[in-house]
Amino acid sequence: MYDTYLLAATDDGLVLIDQHAADERVNYERLQTALGESPATQTLAEPVSLELTAREAALFESVADHLAAIGFRAERVSDREVAVTGVPAIFETTLEPEFLRDALLGVVESADGDATVEAAIDELLADLACHPSVTGNTSLTEGSVVDLLSALDDCENPYACPHGRPVLIEITREEITDRFERDYPGHGRRAE
């Protein structure tokens, strides 16, 4: 429907599925799995130099081990400069320096706030899952719909995208019946 939603009849009613949210959930859980199994690092052809604020530079050391554990290879080259030589292999596209800076510093800044490093990494995965996901207003083939629904069925949490939006909405048979006023008085006598 509208090249954005999938509709499915069930024994209990009707289910509407947001194809982007569904694909985002699938991608997110795939990234979580990849990151959880000793993440690989891909070496950058050229190091990316990032200028840090004094606060970011001070925080960098406290999260360096966390960054290495998820596949970032970065080291301070001066008081306020970091050279990034490797990134997690889960980054499937070429990284713009600004995106790399945002990703890296999102984790660094978590050391100075209420968020944990794990929450910052989770937020990074949610953002990475969004970009390659099928968007709304994209017509899917029957085969890709079946593949998406099968992958969604394998998800640990198929009900919400990693940003918290619902993946599906269920409309029960009773709600449909009520909306069409199928149980109004005198309905049985109308045939007479």
Side-chain angles (χ1 to χ4, degrees):
M1 184 168 88
Y2 311 131
D3 288 333
T4 300
Y5 306 102
L6 309 173
L7 279 71
T10 67
D11 292 340
D12 297 326
L14 175 69
V15 176
L16 287 93
I17 302 162
D18 180 320
Q19 65 190 27
H20 174 72
D23 200 27
E24 194 173 10
R25 168 49 66 179
V26 169
N27 287 329
Y28 171 75
E29 290 196 14
R30 178 184 53 79
L31 290 171
Q32 276 188 317
T33 300
L35 197 60
E37 312 168 334
S38 73
T41 297
Q42 59 180 331
T43 302
L44 300 176
E46 294 284 327
V48 174
S49 179
L50 300 177
E51 192 70 31
L52 305 178
T53 66
R55 184 176 133 279
E56 291 166 346
L59 295 171
F60 178 79
E61 294 302 322
S62 67
V63 296
D65 289 343
H66 291 286
L67 292 169
I70 63 169
F72 277 108
R73 299 293 176 254
E75 57 187 46
R76 285 178 64 174
V77 293
S78 70
D79 285 346
R80 294 183 42 190
E81 184 180 354
V82 170
V84 180
T85 57
V87 296
I90 60 172
F91 288 114
E92 294 178 348
T93 58
T94 304
L95 296 176
E96 296 295 323
E98 279 308 305
F99 180 79
L100 179 56
R101 176 181 170 69
D102 291 346
L104 189 72
L105 293 182
V107 177
V108 169
E109 290 173 358
S110 69
D112 191 37
D114 293 335
T116 63
V117 172
E118 290 76 18
I121 292 168
D122 193 61
E123 187 176 322
L124 172 62
L125 292 182
D127 290 343
L128 288 172
C130 185
H131 297 294
S133 297
V134 64
T135 60
N137 300 315
T138 301
S139 182
L140 299 178
T141 65
E142 184 177 335
S144 60
V145 168
V146 170
D147 291 345
L148 177 59
L149 293 178
S150 177
L152 183 63
D153 193 43
D154 291 338
C155 286
E156 184 176 316
N157 175 10
Y159 303 107
C161 82
H163 298 103
R165 290 181 36 247
V167 169
L168 56 90
I169 297 171
E170 184 174 10
I171 303 171
T172 65
R173 179 183 293 248
E174 291 78 23
E175 183 179 349
I176 295 168
T177 299
D178 289 347
R179 296 289 301 266
F180 282 105
E181 301 176 8
R182 298 290 298 166
D183 291 332
Y184 59 87
H187 181 255
R189 288 187 299 229
R190 191 170 289 262
E192 296 171 5

